[in-house]
Short mmCIF file of all heavy atoms in Angstrom, two decimals:
data_model
loop_
_atom_site.label_atom_id
_atom_site.label_comp_id
_atom_site.label_asym_id
_atom_site.label_seq_id
_atom_site.Cartn_x
_atom_site.Cartn_y
_atom_site.Cartn_z
N ILE A 13 -4.47 -7.07 7.68
CA ILE A 13 -5.08 -5.70 7.53
C ILE A 13 -6.03 -5.43 8.56
O ILE A 13 -6.93 -6.31 9.04
CB ILE A 13 -5.93 -5.81 6.26
CG1 ILE A 13 -5.00 -6.03 4.92
CG2 ILE A 13 -6.71 -4.52 6.03
CD1 ILE A 13 -3.99 -4.93 4.67
N PRO A 14 -5.78 -4.30 9.29
CA PRO A 14 -6.56 -3.90 10.36
C PRO A 14 -7.93 -3.30 9.91
O PRO A 14 -8.07 -3.00 8.80
CB PRO A 14 -5.76 -2.82 11.16
CG PRO A 14 -4.93 -2.13 10.06
CD PRO A 14 -4.64 -3.42 9.12
N GLU A 15 -8.88 -3.28 10.92
CA GLU A 15 -10.32 -2.92 10.51
C GLU A 15 -10.28 -1.50 9.97
O GLU A 15 -11.05 -0.99 9.19
CB GLU A 15 -11.12 -3.00 11.77
CG GLU A 15 -11.53 -4.46 12.08
CD GLU A 15 -12.49 -4.55 13.19
OE1 GLU A 15 -12.91 -3.43 13.63
OE2 GLU A 15 -12.77 -5.66 13.53
N GLY A 16 -9.38 -0.60 10.50
CA GLY A 16 -9.33 0.85 10.15
C GLY A 16 -9.14 1.19 8.74
O GLY A 16 -9.45 2.22 8.36
N ILE A 17 -8.63 0.16 8.01
CA ILE A 17 -8.31 0.48 6.54
C ILE A 17 -9.17 -0.54 5.70
O ILE A 17 -8.86 -0.68 4.51
CB ILE A 17 -6.84 0.38 6.10
CG1 ILE A 17 -6.22 -0.96 6.45
CG2 ILE A 17 -6.09 1.69 6.79
CD1 ILE A 17 -4.82 -1.09 6.09
N ASP A 18 -10.12 -1.17 6.28
CA ASP A 18 -11.03 -2.10 5.52
C ASP A 18 -11.69 -1.38 4.35
O ASP A 18 -12.18 -0.33 4.42
CB ASP A 18 -12.11 -2.68 6.42
CG ASP A 18 -13.01 -3.60 5.68
OD1 ASP A 18 -12.57 -4.66 5.12
OD2 ASP A 18 -14.19 -3.39 5.53
N GLY A 19 -11.54 -1.97 3.11
CA GLY A 19 -12.20 -1.42 1.86
C GLY A 19 -11.26 -0.48 1.20
O GLY A 19 -11.58 -0.03 0.06
N GLU A 20 -10.10 0.02 1.65
CA GLU A 20 -9.18 0.89 0.91
C GLU A 20 -8.53 0.15 -0.22
O GLU A 20 -8.33 -1.09 -0.25
CB GLU A 20 -8.21 1.57 1.92
CG GLU A 20 -8.85 2.58 2.84
CD GLU A 20 -7.65 3.41 3.40
OE1 GLU A 20 -6.51 3.41 2.87
OE2 GLU A 20 -7.95 4.03 4.40
N ARG A 21 -7.98 0.91 -1.16
CA ARG A 21 -7.15 0.35 -2.12
C ARG A 21 -5.95 -0.01 -1.56
O ARG A 21 -5.34 0.57 -0.58
CB ARG A 21 -6.84 1.42 -3.20
CG ARG A 21 -7.81 1.81 -4.25
CD ARG A 21 -7.70 2.99 -5.06
NE ARG A 21 -6.23 3.00 -5.50
CZ ARG A 21 -5.96 2.83 -6.81
NH1 ARG A 21 -6.91 2.75 -7.64
NH2 ARG A 21 -4.64 3.00 -7.23
N VAL A 22 -5.24 -1.14 -2.04
CA VAL A 22 -4.10 -1.78 -1.48
C VAL A 22 -2.85 -0.66 -1.39
O VAL A 22 -2.12 -0.68 -0.54
CB VAL A 22 -3.67 -3.03 -2.08
CG1 VAL A 22 -3.37 -2.76 -3.63
CG2 VAL A 22 -2.58 -3.76 -1.35
N ASP A 23 -2.75 0.00 -2.47
CA ASP A 23 -1.65 1.05 -2.56
C ASP A 23 -1.74 2.06 -1.55
O ASP A 23 -0.78 2.46 -0.70
CB ASP A 23 -1.41 1.73 -3.93
CG ASP A 23 -2.73 2.28 -4.43
OD1 ASP A 23 -3.79 2.20 -3.80
OD2 ASP A 23 -2.65 2.98 -5.46
N SER A 24 -2.96 2.59 -1.31
CA SER A 24 -3.23 3.59 -0.17
C SER A 24 -3.12 2.99 1.20
O SER A 24 -2.51 3.55 2.03
CB SER A 24 -4.59 4.17 -0.40
OG SER A 24 -4.94 5.05 0.68
N ALA A 25 -3.63 1.81 1.27
CA ALA A 25 -3.54 1.14 2.67
C ALA A 25 -2.10 0.84 3.08
O ALA A 25 -1.73 1.14 4.25
CB ALA A 25 -4.40 -0.18 2.56
N LEU A 26 -1.31 0.22 2.09
CA LEU A 26 0.01 0.02 2.52
C LEU A 26 0.89 1.25 2.80
O LEU A 26 1.85 1.24 3.67
CB LEU A 26 0.75 -0.77 1.46
CG LEU A 26 0.14 -2.30 1.25
CD1 LEU A 26 0.83 -3.06 0.16
CD2 LEU A 26 0.15 -3.03 2.59
N THR A 27 0.57 2.30 2.05
CA THR A 27 1.30 3.58 2.23
C THR A 27 1.08 3.99 3.66
O THR A 27 2.01 4.45 4.45
CB THR A 27 0.78 4.60 1.35
OG1 THR A 27 1.14 4.29 -0.07
CG2 THR A 27 1.38 6.02 1.62
N ARG A 28 -0.13 3.91 4.26
CA ARG A 28 -0.44 4.28 5.58
C ARG A 28 0.03 3.40 6.64
O ARG A 28 0.72 3.83 7.66
CB ARG A 28 -1.96 4.34 5.73
CG ARG A 28 -2.67 5.49 4.95
CD ARG A 28 -4.27 5.48 5.07
NE ARG A 28 -4.66 5.50 6.40
CZ ARG A 28 -5.89 5.33 6.82
NH1 ARG A 28 -6.83 5.21 5.88
NH2 ARG A 28 -6.32 5.42 8.18
N VAL A 29 -0.04 2.11 6.43
CA VAL A 29 0.37 1.19 7.45
C VAL A 29 1.88 1.02 7.53
O VAL A 29 2.61 0.96 8.64
CB VAL A 29 -0.23 -0.16 7.17
CG1 VAL A 29 0.33 -1.23 8.15
CG2 VAL A 29 -1.72 -0.12 7.32
N LEU A 30 2.68 1.00 6.33
CA LEU A 30 4.04 0.69 6.38
C LEU A 30 4.81 2.03 6.48
O LEU A 30 6.05 1.97 6.81
CB LEU A 30 4.35 -0.03 5.05
CG LEU A 30 3.82 -1.31 4.97
CD1 LEU A 30 4.16 -1.98 3.51
CD2 LEU A 30 4.16 -2.37 6.02
N GLY A 31 4.20 3.11 6.31
CA GLY A 31 5.03 4.38 6.37
C GLY A 31 5.84 4.55 5.18
O GLY A 31 6.84 5.40 5.20
N LEU A 32 5.78 3.90 4.11
CA LEU A 32 6.54 4.13 2.86
C LEU A 32 5.75 5.01 1.95
O LEU A 32 4.52 5.23 2.10
CB LEU A 32 6.85 2.78 2.11
CG LEU A 32 7.54 1.63 2.93
CD1 LEU A 32 7.50 0.40 2.18
CD2 LEU A 32 9.00 2.15 3.19
N SER A 33 6.52 5.65 0.92
CA SER A 33 5.90 6.53 0.08
C SER A 33 5.06 5.78 -0.91
O SER A 33 5.28 4.62 -1.19
CB SER A 33 6.91 7.39 -0.77
OG SER A 33 7.59 6.52 -1.60
N ARG A 34 3.96 6.44 -1.56
CA ARG A 34 3.11 5.90 -2.63
C ARG A 34 4.02 5.34 -3.80
O ARG A 34 3.71 4.34 -4.35
CB ARG A 34 2.12 6.83 -3.02
CG ARG A 34 1.03 6.19 -3.88
CD ARG A 34 -0.01 7.28 -4.22
NE ARG A 34 -0.92 7.67 -3.19
CZ ARG A 34 -2.08 6.91 -2.86
NH1 ARG A 34 -2.39 6.00 -3.69
NH2 ARG A 34 -2.76 7.33 -1.84
N THR A 35 5.09 6.16 -4.02
CA THR A 35 6.06 5.79 -5.18
C THR A 35 6.59 4.44 -4.91
O THR A 35 6.64 3.58 -5.83
CB THR A 35 7.00 6.76 -5.37
OG1 THR A 35 6.44 8.09 -5.56
CG2 THR A 35 7.97 6.38 -6.50
N VAL A 36 7.08 4.21 -3.75
CA VAL A 36 7.73 2.89 -3.41
C VAL A 36 6.77 1.77 -3.37
O VAL A 36 6.95 0.64 -3.88
CB VAL A 36 8.38 2.96 -1.99
CG1 VAL A 36 8.90 1.60 -1.55
CG2 VAL A 36 9.63 3.93 -1.99
N ILE A 37 5.50 2.04 -2.81
CA ILE A 37 4.57 1.05 -2.86
C ILE A 37 4.14 0.59 -4.15
O ILE A 37 3.85 -0.54 -4.47
CB ILE A 37 3.33 1.49 -1.98
CG1 ILE A 37 3.64 1.68 -0.50
CG2 ILE A 37 2.07 0.52 -2.11
CD1 ILE A 37 4.02 0.41 0.13
N ALA A 38 3.98 1.69 -5.11
CA ALA A 38 3.57 1.41 -6.48
C ALA A 38 4.58 0.49 -7.23
O ALA A 38 4.35 -0.42 -8.02
CB ALA A 38 3.35 2.67 -7.27
N ARG A 39 5.85 0.74 -6.86
CA ARG A 39 6.95 0.03 -7.42
C ARG A 39 6.91 -1.44 -6.99
O ARG A 39 7.10 -2.42 -7.87
CB ARG A 39 8.28 0.58 -7.09
CG ARG A 39 9.55 0.00 -7.80
CD ARG A 39 10.80 0.75 -7.49
NE ARG A 39 10.71 2.30 -7.75
CZ ARG A 39 10.99 3.15 -6.85
NH1 ARG A 39 11.37 2.91 -5.69
NH2 ARG A 39 10.77 4.40 -7.23
N LEU A 40 6.63 -1.66 -5.76
CA LEU A 40 6.45 -3.07 -5.23
C LEU A 40 5.33 -3.78 -5.81
O LEU A 40 5.53 -5.03 -6.23
CB LEU A 40 6.50 -3.02 -3.66
CG LEU A 40 7.52 -2.40 -2.81
CD1 LEU A 40 7.18 -2.48 -1.45
CD2 LEU A 40 8.75 -3.33 -3.08
N LEU A 41 4.30 -3.10 -5.99
CA LEU A 41 3.11 -3.76 -6.63
C LEU A 41 3.37 -4.04 -8.09
O LEU A 41 3.07 -5.16 -8.69
CB LEU A 41 1.87 -2.75 -6.48
CG LEU A 41 1.15 -2.71 -5.19
CD1 LEU A 41 0.34 -1.46 -5.01
CD2 LEU A 41 0.37 -3.97 -4.85
N GLU A 42 4.00 -3.09 -8.76
CA GLU A 42 4.19 -3.36 -10.23
C GLU A 42 5.28 -4.38 -10.50
O GLU A 42 5.29 -5.15 -11.43
CB GLU A 42 4.84 -2.06 -10.88
CG GLU A 42 3.79 -1.00 -11.02
CD GLU A 42 4.45 0.41 -11.29
OE1 GLU A 42 5.68 0.48 -11.44
OE2 GLU A 42 3.77 1.42 -11.44
N SER A 43 6.17 -4.75 -9.42
CA SER A 43 7.11 -5.73 -9.50
C SER A 43 6.64 -7.10 -9.04
O SER A 43 7.41 -8.12 -8.94
CB SER A 43 8.41 -5.28 -8.76
OG SER A 43 8.92 -4.14 -9.11
N GLY A 44 5.29 -7.05 -8.57
CA GLY A 44 4.70 -8.43 -8.18
C GLY A 44 5.21 -8.76 -6.70
O GLY A 44 5.25 -9.93 -6.33
N GLU A 45 5.76 -7.76 -5.92
CA GLU A 45 6.31 -8.17 -4.59
C GLU A 45 5.21 -7.83 -3.46
O GLU A 45 5.65 -7.81 -2.29
CB GLU A 45 7.62 -7.31 -4.44
CG GLU A 45 8.53 -7.68 -5.44
CD GLU A 45 9.78 -6.72 -5.49
OE1 GLU A 45 9.68 -5.66 -4.97
OE2 GLU A 45 10.87 -7.16 -6.01
N VAL A 46 4.02 -7.75 -3.84
CA VAL A 46 2.96 -7.67 -2.80
C VAL A 46 1.95 -8.78 -3.25
O VAL A 46 1.38 -8.72 -4.33
CB VAL A 46 2.21 -6.24 -2.79
CG1 VAL A 46 1.20 -6.29 -1.77
CG2 VAL A 46 3.30 -5.21 -2.57
#
């Protein structure tokens, strides 16, 4: 995790860093894949 997103929610942070949609990130989190 870079300093620029320190303190953000993980779903928001990964959406920004990985370039994936919030829907995809939410699905990964719900499936225990993060």
Side-chain angles (χ1 to χ4, degrees):
I13 297 298
E15 290 186 2
I17 57 174
D18 181 61
E20 285 196 19
R21 283 168 48 112
V22 63
D23 53 353
S24 174
L26 293 184
T27 296
R28 290 176 57 185
V29 173
L30 298 177
L32 299 174
S33 73
R34 189 179 287 269
T35 303
V36 171
I37 295 298
R39 190 178 300 129
L40 294 176
L41 286 161
E42 290 167 1
S43 302
E45 295 169 342
V46 178

